[in-house]
Amino acid sequence: MPAIPRLAQFSPDTLVSGASVVITGENLAHAIDSISLTVGGVVLQVRSASDTRIDAFVPAGALPCAATATQPVTLTVAGTVLTATVPVRAANRLVLKAGESANLLSADDVRCTELVAPTTGTARYMLAVVNTSSVASASSAFELRGTGTGAMAGQMSAMKNPQAFGSMVSASSPNSLINASLLPGLRTESLVAQQALAAESRHDDQLDAQRTIAARSGSATTQWVAARAEKMNRLGVAMASSAAALNVGDVITMKAIYNSCSAGRDVQARVVYAGLRAVVLEDVAAPRARTMDADYRAIGDEFDRVQYPLLRDNIGDPLAMNGAMNGDGRVTMLFTRFVNDSVAGTAGYVSACNFYPKSTFAASNENEVFYARVATATETPADWRRAMRSTVIHEGKHLASFAERLASNLPFEESWLEESTARIAEELYSRTFTSGGSWKGNTGFATTVRCEVYQCDDRPLMMWKHFSMLHQYLRGVDTLSPLGASTNNDVTFYASGWSLVRWAADQYATSEGAWLKALVKGGAQTGLANLAQRTGRPAGELLADWALANAVDDVAGFTPARKQLSFPSWNVADVWSGLAGTYPGAFSAAPLRARAMSFGSFTLPVQQLRAFSSSYFSFDGAQAGGQLIELRGEGGTTPAPAGLRVAVVRVE
């Protein structure tokens, strides 16, 4: 008579999704194909068997999302059925104290999460579902399900503290710019603010074109070596190595080019300023020609004294290619109506074509050239200069990036990160003004954004642009992305990208300037890979931490257990409060759109979550037991889309 199989013990005593299990007993040695093992109806994988032991595996994601509880186990060995009950844990259990957070960065972790009830019985959590895709145009739909012991509050429930998180409310299109005419206190009226916000509406497309030009054109330094050799053969050493000296009052012909390197418009331009690092040219056909020399001189002088040293020391050198180009050691700023007429809506831009010799591109000016619009007949020189000054540092940063990468034969940066670091340059420029902030200084509203709008001193609009756009990003966070525009009119990624890079520099740089220069100069990696390399952390982890920081930075009464949940350089909550107090109705003190829930059972579909952005959910109230959170695909019938992950922080 054959020996009867017997069960003795399961190890571990609680079965866990994605883990091994060992069953000990007697008379278990049979062929594996004659052994079957199920837990709660789920078939487990049997790997080996001996007389006293069976090794099996609980497949990841196979167990239904449920709270930890005992489940029936059925072991069939050569027709003999043995039964038992064992505790089974399908959920990733989180026990968080106030201030603590967790990033769930694996597919199995996000499938089923249990927020373990605190001993106090009440809790508040902020949960972010993040889309780690690096493809700017990508989006995913998903369903968030909950099972708990509370009653469902519904996605429109109110928050206890409306100043802490924004509830899910209808809002105007996040892609429409703030109507500056509605904002009191803009002493130069709406035109300046609209210029500052709309100046870059076509800029990212132009940068993409420059990236393509550089990728197709090969080494600029090699081509300059060949061009100099050819010029020496024709003209001799002295003529080939000399750069034309420009003096105030000279009138020269420049090529105005945009995305074509082979053709351009001839522009007659007068030298208005010739300084140490800048030459300023005015189009002789400008509507206000010869009436704004003082404004042009002020722009050139500020670049020499403030902006060029700032860029060189903290971002990159706009003149990094100057030696190879036999240049005069100065950046050329061409203010021309070509920009007004041909590139409407753009304040300024740079072209990679000018970094190559004419033997490569016939329309090249063979110089570091920054093109910018001229003042119109209907705006004052003061308004034009106020809007233009931050554009100069922004475009100077693009020149620095182009020059540094061409000098090192490195690929151009992805446009979203190129723009984000140009906004960083504007931020550093804003610090040069009285009480304009400092690195990790937790600067607030009064001495920065408010002073720009009300002109406490002679400062342009800088951080106003950053925060007014970031406000719009947070209002529509599900449908927007820092990796690029969601629609033709969307420019929020300038600000959300700046926020991401600013946060990363605050968290991972030991020297801000050195870290930023390494990021701007780059290497073989670009975009998110470049940012991850500079931080030493995976991109998905960066997104999870940045997402939570957007929700809880400087929230009253909250202290994060991890510094990554903060913006050390900015008191963002104070900026939102200041904007809302100054411009009620146009800004909210809590722009983040979190879906407010109480603990219980619910099913909440989200139709769109854009790449590298987040959907936010807040849980608030009495938590009598464990709260299960299950992330599923659209309609709830499939697993969550690849790349969706979860970050959660306990606020109270």
Side-chain angles (χ1 to χ4, degrees):
M1 181 175 179
I4 300 175
R6 299 181 185 278
L7 286 178
Q9 184 179 2
F10 286 82
S11 180
D13 56 3
T14 299
L15 275 60
V16 179
S17 177
S20 297
V21 58
V22 175
I23 303 170
T24 57
E26 299 175 1
N27 307 317
L28 302 177
H30 287 80
I32 290 179
D33 59 6
S34 70
I35 300 173
S36 68
L37 178 64
T38 63
V39 176
V42 175
V43 177
L44 273 58
Q45 178 185 351
V46 177
R47 292 176 165 176
S48 64
S50 68
D51 190 58
T52 58
R53 171 173 172 155
I54 293 176
D55 287 274
F57 182 76
V58 184
L63 299 173
C65 187
T68 301
T70 57
Q71 297 281 347
V73 176
T74 301
L75 174 64
T76 303
V77 180
T80 299
V81 179
L82 306 175
T83 61
T85 57
V86 297
V88 176
R89 188 175 79 229
N92 176 42
R93 301 178 82 241
L94 294 182
V95 181
L96 298 178
K97 298 177 182 178
E100 293 183 338
S101 61
N103 295 333
L104 310 179
L105 300 178
S106 73
D108 192 47
D109 282 347
V110 302
R111 187 188 69 85
C112 186
T113 301
E114 181 183 1
L115 302 176
V116 177
T119 56
T120 59
T122 61
R124 294 181 66 199
Y125 298 91
M126 175 63 77
L127 183 146
V129 177
V130 298
N131 186 348
T132 62
S133 172
S134 61
V135 180
S137 60
S139 66
S140 295
F142 66 91
E143 187 173 280
L144 192 71
R145 293 179 172 183
T147 305
T149 56
M152 180 179 176
Q155 64 190 80
M156 298 298 292
S157 63
M159 300 295 293
K160 279 186 176 179
N161 179 6
Q163 296 302 312
F165 307 111
S167 58
M168 185 67 170
V169 296
S170 61
S172 59
S173 169
N175 300 328
S176 61
L177 298 175
I178 294 292
N179 185 348
S181 65
L182 300 177
L183 305 185
L186 284 177
R187 290 168 51 186
T188 50
E189 301 180 357
S190 66
L191 178 62
V192 175
Q194 290 172 345
Q195 289 168 350
L197 284 171
E200 299 125 340
S201 60
R202 299 172 59 185
H203 207 177
D204 57 314
D205 292 337
Q206 196 265 346
L207 285 175
D208 282 338
Q210 303 313 301
R211 192 170 187 238
T212 299
I213 288 169
R216 291 176 176 174
S217 302
S219 170
T221 54
T222 299
Q223 291 171 58
W224 273 107
V225 169
R228 283 200 304 273
E230 189 276 333
K231 196 171 185 179
M232 288 174 60
N233 288 334
R234 287 189 297 108
L235 303 176
V237 174
M239 292 295 292
S241 61
S242 61
L246 296 178
N247 300 297
V248 173
D250 291 347
V251 177
I252 64 172
T253 300
M254 295 284 291
K255 285 290 187 184
I257 53 179
Y258 191 55
N259 284 340
S260 172
C261 297
S262 58
R265 180 186 299 178
D266 286 342
V267 173
Q268 298 297 305
R270 179 174 60 96
V271 179
V272 185
Y273 176 87
L276 180 64
R277 296 301 184 188
V279 173
V280 179
L281 306 175
E282 181 192 43
D283 189 337
V284 299
R288 293 180 176 271
R290 296 183 179 273
T291 68
M292 294 178 53
D293 286 14
D295 297 284
Y296 287 124
R297 286 196 298 268
I299 282 178
D301 176 67
E302 185 175 47
F303 185 82
D304 277 351
R305 291 184 300 102
V306 178
Q307 295 184 349
Y308 174 78
L310 184 153
L311 289 168
R312 180 198 60 207
D313 297 341
N314 298 281
I315 298 291
D317 191 352
L319 299 171
M321 277 288 292
N322 199 262
M325 297 162 65
N326 284 341
D328 64 353
R330 298 183 292 189
V331 168
T332 299
M333 303 181 190
L334 176 58
F335 294 92
T336 171
R337 66 179 302 163
F338 172 84
V339 178
N340 304 55
D341 298 341
S342 302
V343 200
T346 297
Y349 64 91
V350 300
S351 173
C353 311
N354 289 316
F355 285 93
Y356 289 83
K358 289 183 180 293
S359 55
T360 302
F361 296 128
S364 172
N365 289 291
E366 298 187 328
N367 204 346
E368 301 90 343
V369 180
F370 153 41
Y371 300 93
R373 70 176 192 87
V374 296
T376 66
T378 58
E379 67 181 308
T380 69
D383 285 353
W384 172 86
R385 178 170 166 263
R386 186 182 179 200
M388 185 55 63
R389 290 166 71 191
S390 61
T391 298
V392 173
I393 189 73
H394 185 108
E395 299 307 323
K397 183 269 158 185
H398 290 320
L399 283 177
S401 177
F402 286 14
E404 294 280 11
R405 286 168 180 260
L406 287 170
S408 300
N409 293 320
L410 294 171
F412 277 20
E413 186 53 87
E414 294 177 21
S415 61
W416 75 269
L417 188 50
E418 180 66 23
E419 292 292 17
S420 300
T421 47
R423 283 298 186 91
I424 290 285
E426 292 184 58
E427 179 191 11
L428 299 184
Y429 172 47
S430 75
R431 294 182 190 167
T432 65
F433 295 86
T434 302
S435 301
S438 61
W439 188 34
K440 299 186 181 181
N442 205 37
T443 305
F445 173 76
T447 62
T448 57
V449 179
R450 185 185 185 280
C451 265
E452 292 175 17
V453 173
Y454 283 94
Q455 288 190 286
C456 301
D457 48 23
D458 180 32
R459 71 177 75 184
L461 295 173
M462 299 164 291
M463 301 313 298
W464 153 263
K465 296 187 296 181
H466 296 50
F467 282 106
S468 59
M469 285 188 187
L470 184 61
H471 186 277
Q472 293 180 64
Y473 166 75
L474 293 175
R475 286 173 64 189
V477 63
D478 298 51
T479 60
L480 301 170
S481 171
L483 304 186
S486 61
T487 67
N488 290 335
N489 297 322
D490 172 29
V491 291
T492 59
F493 69 95
Y494 285 76
S496 54
W498 161 76
S499 171
L500 175 61
V501 175
R502 165 46 54 210
W503 171 86
D506 282 1
Q507 298 297 337
Y508 295 103
T510 54
S511 165
E512 184 184 37
W515 189 89
L516 289 170
K517 284 196 288 187
L519 180 69
V520 170
K521 185 174 181 178
Q525 303 293 336
T526 60
L528 287 174
N530 183 14
L531 189 63
Q533 186 174 31
R534 303 305 157 194
T535 61
R537 308 308 305 166
E541 179 182 320
L542 299 179
L543 172 58
D545 284 339
W546 175 63
L548 292 182
N550 277 323
V552 300
D553 179 59
D554 286 308
V555 166
F558 174 75
T559 301
R562 298 172 55 241
K563 66 182 183 66
Q564 283 81 3
L565 271 61
S566 66
F567 286 86
S569 287
W570 288 97
N571 188 325
V572 179
D574 183 70
V575 175
W576 298 146
S577 180
L579 283 170
T582 306
Y583 308 124
F587 290 94
S588 168
L592 186 68
R593 305 178 68 221
R595 295 163 173 86
M597 309 292 293
S598 66
F599 299 103
S601 299
F602 57 84
T603 298
L604 182 61
V606 175
Q607 295 180 344
Q608 183 183 35
L609 175 57
R610 286 291 301 275
F612 225 72
S613 203
S614 311
S615 292
Y616 290 91
F617 307 84
S618 60
F619 295 86
D620 186 12
Q623 186 180 358
Q627 175 68 47
L628 284 176
I629 305 293
E630 183 178 8
L631 193 63
R632 302 289 294 172
E634 188 173 15
T637 59
T638 60
L644 292 195
R645 299 293 183 258
V646 170
V648 60
V649 58
R650 184 176 168 196
V651 182
E652 292 180 3

